[in-house]
Amino acid sequence: MMTGRAGRLGLPAILAAALGAATAFGFAPFNAPFLPFITLAGVIVLWRRHPTKFDSTVIGLAFGLGLFCTGMRWIYVSLHDFGGMPAALAVFCTFLLSAILATFPALVGFFQALIGARSWLQVVVAIPALWALFEWLRGWVLTGLPWLSVGYAQVPAGPLAAFAPLLGVYGVSLVTALAAGLIVSLFAALIARQGGAAVAAAMALAMLFSANYILARIEWTQAAGTPISVSLLQGNITQDIKWKPETIEKTLTTYRDLTLASKSKLIILPETAFPVFLEQMPEEYLAEFDHHAKQLNADLLIGVPETTGPKTYHNSVVSFGASPRQTYRKTHLVPFSEFIPLKWLIGWVYDDLLNMPLADFSAGDIDQKPFEVAGQKVAMTNCYEDLFGEEVIRKLPGATLLANVSNDGWFGRSWGPQQHAQIAQMRALETGRYMLRATNTGVTAIIDHKGRVVHRAPEFTTIALDGAAQGFVGATPYVRYGNVAVVALSFAMLLMAATLRKRRFGPKAIFLS
């Protein structure tokens, strides 16, 4: 029986994997926001043609494997090129992570089959709700990894991007899947020559995109005060040399020269710009930074590791300059990179196979306040933390600016840095705040409150990106309600789908039969 199933599912699974791989090209650096509509529509068709729970689960799993193996190849770069892991083991670990992430679209397939979403109305209700819920779950289960949530492909100017301030990235994923379901229903109706159903699906699509047009014209937040001058420093210290003792002096000189040349009111250095503990830095070196900032009546934010006790160290951002000294300690650490789960069991991997310095940080307090610098209240995130919109909004609406320091040098010249920048654009759009990104090798950028890149530094160059940032006050609906709204909406849609289970609406064309 299993052999027969495997044979029957061979081509559908291959098609699903190809659709998943194609979806990865909807994100940065390719920025094709319409592509997920097509690929999700394709996987919906496959689910309808293979409606059993087993078949639908396999198709969802194949789609997820295609998406994550293609879109997150930078994991291999991090593990092999910079972590020193043997190539075969790095390939296996990359595939294993992709397989874990692929279980979430697999579960969408299973539960939509369990609900029995056979009618076109159920398709456009149940599947989008399930897609949003399982992306939300992927954002926090096992500390969360919401990378490549399909909503990100809409940022900044996709036809459904304006739902972000209302419902966040998972809400954008929901309406993306809804658009895909409507596309399937429209073509099914046309093939079945059911004009009424085709008109209904076309009108629903038009209403969805019209709603985005209206939402895009709402100013959820308001400018406060005058823009401030900012300098975002990109030292371009590649990951293969960043932690070598012989390059530390060059790194410190690079950032000192960039800092002393800046005249801005807010100067930001990237994550772990100083590759030594703050407590080990020469006092006269730090005094130069502090003196320069105070002369300008400015503030300087520096990413640097620091120790707070024996074997306790943090991935921190520390301020210098006109305002009182402030510290932000990274809260949401990256498992297997910044802390080691089950260290007693797998610690040997880090000791014997990988070259990953500072792989066991301690987390900072969850309720840290925004920095009060340069006349602004700056909500800090450190690298990976900006993946989690619900964590960013903890400091809002009090904060007037967002800032993120990152070291995407771990990704090399892969798609990773571009995808990470797109995630930061989503956080700006969700919150109605400027986002300032200072990175080691790129993408360093100033992003406005609509998620648009205003200024951007070339990757892999040593540069100070100078520009202006406008503070904003007020709160978007997403800032007020977080992910509660999209989760509640998704459950309401599932309840509706359940009530429609025994009723059929619309076309019975090949797509839905």
Side-chain angles (χ1 to χ4, degrees), residues 226-510:
T226 58
I228 62 166
S229 56
V230 298
S231 292
L232 309 179
L233 309 188
Q234 181 174 287
N236 191 32
I237 312 298
T238 57
Q239 197 61 34
D240 55 338
I241 65 171
K242 180 178 176 66
W243 297 98
K244 291 184 177 180
E246 61 268 25
T247 64
I248 290 177
E249 184 175 352
K250 176 182 180 295
T251 299
L252 298 182
T253 299
T254 296
Y255 280 113
R256 181 190 62 196
D257 293 346
L258 287 171
T259 299
L260 297 184
S262 174
K263 305 301 180 185
S264 296
K265 289 297 182 181
L266 181 61
I267 307 166
I268 306 179
L269 280 66
E271 178 188 19
T272 57
F274 297 166
V276 293
F277 287 110
L278 179 65
E279 295 74 19
Q280 297 173 343
M281 294 291 298
E283 290 187 13
E284 60 275 14
Y285 180 85
L286 294 176
E288 275 191 279
F289 282 80
D290 197 48
H291 177 70
H292 175 73
K294 285 178 177 176
Q295 276 193 319
L296 296 172
N297 193 31
D299 288 289
L300 174 66
L301 308 183
I302 300 174
V304 61
E306 60 162 354
T307 59
T308 57
K311 296 184 179 180
T312 303
Y313 45 90
H314 298 274
N315 191 350
S316 302
V317 180
V318 180
S319 74
F320 294 84
S323 302
R325 182 73 58 86
Q326 296 159 75
T327 301
Y328 172 77
R329 298 183 176 116
K330 188 174 183 180
T331 300
H332 197 136
L333 302 176
V334 185
F336 305 106
S337 176
E338 291 179 316
F339 78 97
I340 308 173
L342 302 175
K343 187 175 180 180
W344 60 271
L345 179 64
I346 62 173
W348 64 272
V349 175
Y350 291 80
D351 295 335
D352 300 334
L353 293 178
L354 297 179
N355 178 30
M356 297 181 71
L358 303 181
D360 202 13
F361 281 109
S362 298
D365 294 335
I366 201 169
D367 59 350
Q368 297 175 74
K369 295 180 179 179
F371 279 140
E372 296 191 25
V373 291
Q376 301 288 328
K377 293 183 178 180
V378 181
M380 285 300 313
T381 52
N382 192 324
C383 195
Y384 170 88
E385 287 184 309
D386 66 353
L387 270 67
F388 305 95
E390 66 275 21
E391 297 181 12
V392 171
I393 63 174
R394 287 176 186 155
K395 301 178 180 67
L396 298 173
T400 56
L401 289 174
L402 308 180
N404 176 264
V405 296
S406 291
N407 176 25
D408 287 348
W410 280 105
F411 302 158
R413 296 182 181 273
S414 69
W415 301 345
Q418 307 281 348
Q419 293 170 352
H420 196 187
Q422 191 174 42
I423 289 168
Q425 289 176 265
M426 176 60 80
R427 299 289 88 84
L429 183 57
E430 286 174 339
T431 60
R433 299 291 193 279
Y434 267 60
M435 167 69 85
L436 307 177
R437 294 194 84 234
T439 70
N440 180 24
T441 56
V443 176
T444 295
I446 299 172
I447 301 166
D448 75 7
H449 66 299
K450 294 291 187 180
R452 300 168 298 204
V453 174
V454 179
H455 297 291
R456 171 175 169 161
E459 290 181 76
F460 300 100
T461 57
T462 302
I463 191 171
L465 180 67
D466 298 323
Q470 173 67 60
F472 276 79
V473 295
T476 65
Y478 181 72
V479 165
R480 294 187 185 279
Y481 305 112
N483 292 326
V484 172
V486 69
V487 171
L489 176 60
S490 297
F491 276 114
M493 291 170 68
L494 288 178
L495 181 61
M496 181 187 298
T499 65
L500 298 171
R501 184 172 182 178
K502 295 183 180 180
R503 302 177 62 186
R504 294 187 65 84
F505 298 84
K508 298 180 181 179
I510 188 171

Side-chain angles (χ1 to χ4, degrees), residues 136-220:
W136 169 70
L137 285 170
R138 182 159 63 87
W140 59 266
V141 170
L142 300 177
T143 80
L145 184 55
W147 205 281
L148 295 185
S149 293
V150 294
Y152 286 120
Q154 297 299 309
V155 173
L160 296 177
F163 283 89
L166 192 65
L167 294 170
V169 66
Y170 304 126
V172 181
S173 294
L174 185 149
V175 293
T176 298
L178 174 58
L182 289 169
I183 290 169
V184 172
S185 299
L186 174 59
F187 278 93
L190 291 173
I191 289 172
R193 297 182 180 180
Q194 297 190 2
V199 169
M203 288 181 63
L205 272 172
M207 290 173 63
L208 190 63
F209 294 125
S210 296
N212 183 83
Y213 179 84
I214 294 168
L215 289 170
R217 277 143 187 79
I218 298 176
E219 294 294 338
W220 301 104

